[in-house]
């Protein structure tokens, strides 16, 4: 398997993550009281290890045996005699504070396990980030919900959660509204590579005076391994592919009003899949919204992302040979990624208006493309006149009223784009009433996703977990139902577009996701199996 293609097999994971590659070995102890609370129903399709071929009951036993572990020094009660070794993976880049890599996760037998306790890569500072190494059930479930949704809807998906384990350890604490009963948990994901694995961590506050040299050597080793597996140009190929995919992911997130936090090379895989959703939240509009003090306002993430890519180019060029030089390579990559970002912004905005991806591409390639670009600029600029500090409790005044584009007399900022879209009727068969279909799809795709507001989702999960605990249903069935229901309630988009049909819902059965459709002419309903593809697929549906 090519590591640039995505998640790592067990063999590739051990190739990249070992002490010889500059990462840290940590002693782990088995947790005898741990239990599996959730297994991803899609595990047989998304687990890159041989365990994907196991039957469901066997897979549960495998996950518990392999992953129910915690760093030996992280707790003192009932330490089991069984021990093993995991790898705390070093990585750098921005967004990790004074840490030197995974502060509460390690790699074990092809799995990345989050919540295993405080690793030696937590910086020696006053920051409380990852200081305990704990990962609690509410956050674990919330990240999994976002992971499933992003994997289904975003152009390049997400690194999925494979399993959630309850360690058997609990804690009571004040969560704001009330004291909550929290269970220490483990979140199991496939092992994967981050861009940050190929970048240094210069802000790591380590007690080791040789840390800088060791970290520099680790970057060289990681890039050398990549070149050995994929050829001498693998590093620059990785950066170019990543920059384009990252740009499209950010554009999709902005137009669909989902904040994933600041763009960090540690929160995305080298294949462009998003990861780590602790700060993710739905947003109310396309305004310039500050979700945290230290990250760009929404819609400005592309510029921070390009800065991170520039740093990555520097590390690649420094440790590999190239003919164009760092500045020439950066300029090429920036121009291409920047273009992809704004092209995706236009495509997704037209899709929100009801067009299919294919129709949107055709519109942007038509003679009317310049007028469409101006209309989109007017529309987005209207929303971006507003600045909102979400972390300060502000609520924006401008509503996201894109659905009114299909009013008989739309608001001034929507009217130009409506006129441009209607002109497109000449590009498509006259036998189909496309405005009718576009209006229906626009109504569905522009649905409010307040359920995904971070605090709202957080407290809904707390309440659901308390209810499951009271009913003695805090088990695989209960947690599976909780996650599945939240994902289905929040879904509005699919990577499959339909010429003459509109989405009316989604259904999950035995790990397969189905999109439910209604024919706009006959009112007949059907459903189609979704595939987690990396591009939009347009299906021409018969009208009878």
């Amino acid at each position: 398997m090519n590591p640039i293609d995505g998640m790592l097999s067990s063999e590739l994971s051990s190739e990249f993550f070992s002490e010889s590659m500059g990462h840290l070995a940590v002693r782990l102890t088995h947790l005898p009281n741990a239990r599996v609370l959730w297994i991803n129903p899609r595990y047989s399709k998304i687990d890159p290890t041989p365990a994907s071929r196991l039957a469901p009951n066997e897979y549960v036993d495998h996950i518990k045996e392999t992953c129910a572990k915690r760093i030996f020094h992280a707790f003192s009660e009932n330490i089991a005699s069984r021990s093993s070794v995991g790898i705390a993976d070093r990585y750098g880049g921005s967004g990790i504070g004074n840490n030197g890599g995974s502060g509460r996760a390690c790699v074990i037998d092809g799995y990345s396990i989050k919540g295993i306790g405080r690793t030696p890569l937590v910086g020696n500072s006053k920051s409380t980030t990852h200081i305990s190494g704990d990962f609690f059930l509410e956050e674990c479930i919330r990240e999994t919900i976002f992971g499933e949704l992003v994997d289904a809807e975003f152009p390049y998906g997400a690194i999925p959660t494979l399993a959630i384990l309850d360690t058997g350890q609990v804690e009571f604490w004040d969560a704001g509204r009330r004291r909550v009963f929290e269970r220490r948990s483990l979140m199991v994901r496939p092992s994967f590579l981050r861009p940050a694995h190929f970048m240094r961590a210069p802000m790591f506050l380590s007690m080791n005076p040789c840390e800088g040299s060791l970290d520099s050597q680790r970057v060289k080793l990681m890039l050398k391994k990549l070149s050995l597996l994929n050829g001498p140009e693998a590093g620059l190929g990785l950066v170019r592919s990543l920059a384009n995919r990252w740009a499209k992911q950010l554009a999709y997130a902005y137009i669909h009003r989902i904040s994933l936090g600041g763009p960090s090379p540690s929160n995305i895989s080298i294949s462009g899949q998003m990861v780590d959703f602790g700060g993710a939240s739905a947003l109310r509009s396309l305004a310039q919204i500050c979700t945290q003090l230290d990250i760009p306002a929404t819609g400005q993430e592309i510029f921070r992302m390009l800065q991170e890519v520039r740093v990555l180019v520097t590390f690649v060029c420094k440790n590999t040979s190239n003919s164009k030089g760092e500045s020439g390579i950066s300029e090429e990559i920036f121009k291409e990624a920047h273009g992809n970002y704004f092209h995706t912004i236009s495509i997704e905005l037209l899709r929100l208006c009801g067009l299919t991806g294919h129709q949107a591409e055709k519109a942007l390639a038509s003679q009317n493309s310049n007028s469409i670009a101006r209309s989109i600029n007017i529309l987005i600029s209207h929303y971006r006149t507003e600045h909102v500090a979400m972390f300060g409790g502000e609520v924006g005044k401008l509503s996201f009223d894109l659905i009114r584009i299909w009013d008989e007399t739309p608001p001034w900022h929507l009217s130009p784009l409506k006129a441009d879209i209607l002109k497109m009727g000449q590009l498509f068969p006259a036998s189909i009433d496309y405005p009718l279909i576009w209006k229906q799809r626009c109504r569905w795709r522009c649905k409010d996703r307040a359920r995904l507001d971070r605090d709202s989702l957080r407290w809904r999960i707390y309440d659901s977990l308390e209810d499951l605990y009271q009913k003695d249903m805090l088990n695989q069935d209960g947690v599976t139902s909780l996650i599945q229901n939240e994902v289905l309630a929040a879904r509005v988009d699919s990577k499959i577009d339909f010429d003459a049909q509109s989405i009316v819902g989604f259904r999950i059965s035995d790990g397969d996701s189905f999109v439910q459709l209604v024919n706009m002419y006959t009112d007949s309903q059907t459903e189609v199996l979704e595939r987690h593809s990396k591009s939009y697929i347009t299906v021409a549906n018969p009208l009878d």
Side-chain angles (χ1 to χ4, degrees), residues 368-534:
N368 198 37
S369 60
N370 288 336
S371 179
I372 293 173
R374 286 193 296 271
S375 298
I376 288 175
N377 190 51
I378 291 171
L379 188 156
I380 292 180
S381 296
H382 164 73
Y383 295 115
R384 293 189 62 74
T385 58
E386 186 172 47
H387 297 253
V388 179
M390 184 171 160
F391 57 84
E394 286 188 41
V395 177
K397 296 180 180 179
L398 290 179
S399 63
F400 184 70
D401 58 354
L402 183 62
I403 193 171
R404 293 191 61 195
I405 195 170
W406 295 110
D407 286 359
E408 185 174 346
T409 305
W412 68 269
H413 57 285
L414 302 177
S415 182
L417 185 58
K418 178 182 180 181
D420 286 325
I421 291 175
L422 289 177
K423 288 178 185 177
M424 290 179 51
Q426 305 168 10
L427 303 176
F428 307 111
S431 59
I432 299 178
D433 185 358
Y434 279 107
L436 172 67
I437 299 171
W438 292 336
K439 181 178 181 179
Q440 177 65 21
R441 279 204 291 252
C442 178
R443 183 179 294 114
W444 174 266
R445 288 174 179 166
C446 290
K447 283 173 57 179
D448 179 65
R449 289 217 259 198
R451 293 185 65 88
L452 291 176
D453 172 78
R454 184 176 182 272
D455 285 340
S456 174
L457 178 58
R458 180 171 174 248
W459 281 105
R460 201 161 57 252
I461 292 172
Y462 276 137
D463 291 340
S464 296
L465 289 175
E466 186 172 323
D467 185 57
L468 289 175
Y469 181 74
Q470 294 294 334
K471 295 178 179 177
D472 196 27
M473 290 180 59
L474 192 57
N475 51 34
Q476 285 191 57
D477 289 339
V479 175
T480 297
S481 179
L482 167 59
I483 292 173
Q484 181 173 296
N485 289 341
E486 287 292 344
V487 171
L488 288 175
R491 289 285 308 275
V492 299
D493 200 10
S494 172
K495 293 178 185 176
I496 308 178
D497 275 336
F498 302 88
D499 263 351
Q501 293 183 325
S502 177
I503 295 174
V504 292
F506 298 87
R507 182 176 70 86
I508 296 175
S509 177
D510 296 327
D512 290 324
S513 176
F514 297 86
V515 56
Q516 298 173 326
L517 306 160
V518 61
N519 188 297
M520 300 303 298
Y521 290 88
T522 65
D523 284 333
S524 61
Q525 295 193 17
T526 186
E527 61 180 24
V528 177
L529 175 67
E530 282 191 293
R531 291 178 175 83
H532 291 247
S533 58
K534 292 183 178 179

Side-chain angles (χ1 to χ4, degrees), residues 292-341:
Q292 293 177 215
L293 279 172
D294 57 344
I295 66 174
T298 53
Q300 297 295 311
E301 299 95 339
I302 180 65
F303 304 109
R304 173 72 66 84
M305 183 275 276
L306 291 175
Q307 292 176 3
E308 298 297 341
V309 170
R310 183 185 295 276
V311 175
L312 184 56
V313 168
T314 299
F315 284 116
V316 172
C317 289
K318 182 179 179 180
N319 292 282
T320 60
S321 59
N322 68 85
S323 58
K324 294 185 178 180
E326 181 181 327
S327 60
I329 293 170
S330 294
E331 185 177 349
E332 283 184 11
I333 292 175
F334 287 7
K335 184 177 180 180
E336 189 176 347
H338 195 264
N340 272 306
Y341 176 80

Side-chain angles (χ1 to χ4, degrees), residues 24 90-93 96-102 118-125 200-208 211-212 214-215 218:
L24 297 180
R90 292 179 181 268
Y91 54 81
I96 62 172
N98 297 126
N99 299 326
S102 291
R118 176 174 173 160
T119 77
L121 295 176
V122 173
N124 185 35
S125 71
R200 284 199 55 195
M203 303 301 291
F204 180 29
L205 294 181
S206 171
M207 297 297 289
N208 185 351
E211 183 60 45
L214 292 173
D215 199 36
R218 185 260 309 169

Side-chain angles (χ1 to χ4, degrees), residues 97-119:
N98 297 126
N99 299 326
S102 291
R104 53 176 173 173
C106 72
V107 177
I108 306 171
D109 295 339
Y111 297 110
S112 174
I113 305 173
K114 190 172 182 178
I116 51 88
R118 176 174 173 160
T119 77

Side-chain angles (χ1 to χ4, degrees), residues 35-187:
R35 61 191 180 116
V36 175
L37 284 182
W38 183 74
I39 291 290
N40 195 317
R42 299 187 289 130
Y43 79 87
S44 64
K45 303 179 183 70
I46 58 178
D47 186 338
T49 74
S52 63
R53 297 190 290 268
L54 294 175
N57 289 340
E58 295 174 326
Y59 189 76
V60 169
D61 293 339
H62 164 75
I63 288 294
K64 182 176 179 180
E65 177 65 24
T66 306
C67 304
K69 297 173 182 178
R70 192 168 168 87
I71 289 181
F72 189 82
H73 64 73
F75 70 104
S76 58
E77 67 275 16
N78 300 322
I79 295 178
S81 58
R82 293 173 56 192
S83 64
S84 57
V85 174
I87 296 295
D89 53 317
R90 292 179 181 268
Y91 54 81
S94 69
I96 62 172
N98 297 126
N99 299 326
S102 291
R104 53 176 173 173
C106 72
V107 177
I108 306 171
D109 295 339
Y111 297 110
S112 174
I113 305 173
K114 190 172 182 178
I116 51 88
R118 176 174 173 160
T119 77
L121 295 176
V122 173
N124 185 35
S125 71
K126 295 181 180 180
S127 171
T128 58
T129 303
H130 301 163
I131 194 168
S132 72
D134 292 329
F135 195 46
F136 292 98
L137 185 55
E138 176 277 323
E139 186 178 4
C140 195
I141 289 176
R142 181 159 42 86
E143 284 209 28
T144 297
I145 290 168
F146 268 103
E148 289 295 287
L149 185 140
V150 170
D151 200 31
E153 297 190 0
F154 278 48
Y156 295 99
I159 296 293
T161 302
L162 291 174
I164 298 173
L165 286 79
D166 174 10
T167 66
Q169 301 165 334
V170 299
E171 184 171 325
F172 285 92
W173 63 0
D174 188 352
R177 298 182 187 175
R178 65 173 188 266
R179 286 178 60 82
V180 295
F181 178 70
E182 281 273 50
R183 310 186 78 88
R184 291 192 181 103
S185 302
L186 300 172
M187 186 169 76

